[in-house]
Amino acid sequence: MTFQPGSDLDAEDVKSRVDAAIEENDVVLFMKGNRLMPQCGYSKRALELIDQYVDDFETVDVLPALPEFREALEAHSGWETTPQAYVEGEFVGGSDVLAELDERGELEATLSGE
């Protein structure tokens, strides 16, 4: 699922894409940028933390429609900030939460849905 900058995504399109990404992927990271070019330090950190333990996961670039993504993600998590990681449909957290889980030795189990 790749979103191109300047795309004409309205709030309903974004909500549908967020819902589908969360539902259809075991692990999904909503981030600024993509795997090859994270566009903020927090997104890069979250990407690196997940990448340590999971080879196959989805990333969604929120930058093409940031206000709409914030609104759609807040409906799922109560947070409007990114990055946001979801595992098996459940909100896990952002880069700080992922880092805390990793420091406690719990991130790998969390990402595998245990």
Side-chain angles (χ1 to χ4, degrees):
M1 198 180 301
T2 303
F3 302 116
Q4 299 300 320
S7 62
D8 296 321
L9 295 172
D10 65 23
E12 193 56 40
D13 290 335
V14 170
K15 181 186 179 313
S16 297
R17 290 173 189 234
V18 166
D19 292 347
I22 291 170
E23 184 178 313
E24 296 169 4
N25 295 283
D26 289 338
V27 178
V28 62
L29 177 66
F30 294 90
M31 61 181 284
K32 292 178 180 173
N34 59 47
R35 283 185 189 212
L36 297 177
M37 292 188 62
Q39 297 297 306
C40 85
Y42 295 111
S43 290
K44 182 179 181 198
R45 183 177 181 204
L47 182 66
E48 289 170 348
L49 287 162
I50 294 171
D51 204 33
Q52 292 180 97
Y53 303 108
V54 181
D55 293 328
D56 186 27
F57 65 97
E58 186 67 45
T59 61
V60 178
D61 183 359
V62 300
L63 288 174
L66 189 56
E68 291 82 0
F69 273 104
R70 283 186 171 147
E71 183 178 321
L73 289 167
E74 186 175 12
H76 281 276
S77 66
W79 290 17
E80 66 174 30
T81 58
T82 54
Q84 288 191 22
Y86 291 78
V87 176
E88 296 182 1
E90 297 295 321
F91 175 60
V92 174
S95 60
D96 291 345
V97 172
L98 295 173
E100 287 173 22
L101 288 169
D102 193 41
E103 287 170 16
R104 293 195 311 247
E106 299 172 8
L107 184 57
E108 184 173 14
T110 299
L111 293 172
S112 66
E114 294 177 13

